[in-house]
Amino acid sequence: MQVTQRGKKARRAAAAVVSAAAAALVITACGPGNDEPAGSAAPSAAVPVTAAPASPAASGAATPAPAPTKGGAPSGGTASATSAGATAPACAAGDLKGEAHQAKQRPPGTGIGAAVVAFTNSSAQPCTLQGFPTVAGAANGSPDRNAPLAVTHSGTAAPVRLAPGGKAWVKLTFVQVQGEADGYCTSGATPVVYPTLVLGLPGAGAHQVALDDGLFAECDNKVTTTALSATSPS
């Protein structure tokens, strides 16, 4: 009986040691590892960060221009268009009315010196004039009895579109008469006085014009004329 009781005590002691060792293993397995302090939280999942794209101004990149529309203007913009307008037929002789006055700027002397002639479109439709006129002195005021003058052109001819009531101008500059009374010509020729002139317009007939004040007095039967213009000369 004594031996049996010792064996039982020994077995109980061994079982206690095994139980203590097992408990220590369980505590060690459940506790924190050697590299992580006790009580630390589990690591959270990483959140990817996406950088916002830099604006063109901040990055220094040029801002692209708006894409052009079919009409050629940027989308969202306003296209400005210009039109040259339709051309008009040549003026007919019956469409025009001529009138003349002394020019403000003329060579010194006692003759007419220079005159500005205006042609007005008296029709109800636009028409076009272009070029330099021919000039003749009407003897005794008769257009059929005229003396052509030698014409020198000044400037460049371009089309002039006349709306109804619109005007085109030319400036005529003569060899000036000098002196008093009947005057004289520097060249020695005799001065000539014409009550009216006959101006021939390219494609638009011949037109007899008189000054609104005075007569056409000139020397040497010469005249310098500008081209027909949309702007009145002085």
Side-chain angles (χ1 to χ4, degrees), residues 23-38:
L25 289 173
V26 171
I27 294 172
T28 304
C30 294
N34 295 332
D35 296 333
E36 184 176 356

Side-chain angles (χ1 to χ4, degrees), residues 34-150:
N34 295 332
D35 296 333
E36 184 176 356
S40 63
S44 60
V47 178
V49 178
T50 303
S55 66
S59 62
T63 302
T69 61
K70 185 175 180 181
S75 59
T78 302
S80 102
T82 57
S83 173
T87 57
C91 298
D95 295 340
L96 302 172
K97 178 182 178 181
E99 55 187 342
H101 63 269
Q102 293 192 44
K104 293 180 181 179
Q105 297 181 9
R106 54 185 186 268
T110 56
I112 187 61
V116 173
V117 183
F119 294 95
T120 303
N121 178 11
S122 59
S123 75
Q125 302 297 327
C127 63
T128 302
L129 289 174
Q130 181 176 356
F132 296 88
T134 60
V135 184
N140 297 320
S142 173
D144 297 331
R145 297 170 60 86
N146 61 65
L149 305 184

Side-chain angles (χ1 to χ4, degrees), residues 156-186:
T156 304
V160 180
R161 188 177 186 275
L162 278 68
K167 297 178 182 292
W169 288 269
V170 295
K171 182 176 181 178
L172 308 176
T173 303
F174 303 94
V175 178
Q176 182 65 292
V177 176
Q178 306 296 325
E180 300 296 333
D182 292 336
Y184 67 93
C185 295
T186 303

